[in-house]
Amino acid sequence: MSKYVLAFRGQPGRAPQPDEEQTWGAWFASLDAAIADRGNRVGTVRTLHSKDDGDPSTAALTGYVVISAADADEAARLASGCPGLQNGVSVEVGEIVDA
């Protein structure tokens, strides 16, 4: 099993949809034993852009969770249930590499 960070990105100050908190809670409950680190929401963010980063007005990091999965495909499948995907939140899935 490898660990993967699911990084949530959305627009700063985005207002949640009605009942969105409950759907996030249900999704986290469905991940259950796959959660290796429950993560947290993110407050103030500073983004350092590379030269070729593209449009700096794009979404900012809003939270994360670390999961365990057999491979990147399974991690992406687990991430695909994120309720934020229906409400302006994207999810980046990245394998954690030991230093």
Side-chain angles (χ1 to χ4, degrees), residues 36-79:
D37 175 345
R38 290 198 67 82
N40 221 325
R41 288 185 180 162
V42 174
T44 302
V45 174
R46 288 188 176 94
T47 302
L48 305 177
H49 296 279
S50 69
K51 287 191 236 178
D52 301 321
D53 198 336
D55 184 357
S57 66
T58 57
L61 180 67
T62 58
Y64 73 95
V65 64
V66 176
I67 63 169
S68 296
D71 55 32
D73 289 337
E74 180 185 8
R77 182 187 60 74
L78 292 169

Side-chain angles (χ1 to χ4, degrees), residues 14 16-28 41 83:
R14 180 186 73 86
Q17 299 295 313
D19 298 326
E20 188 173 345
E21 291 296 322
Q22 290 83 0
T23 57
W24 277 87
W27 179 60
F28 273 95
R41 288 185 180 162

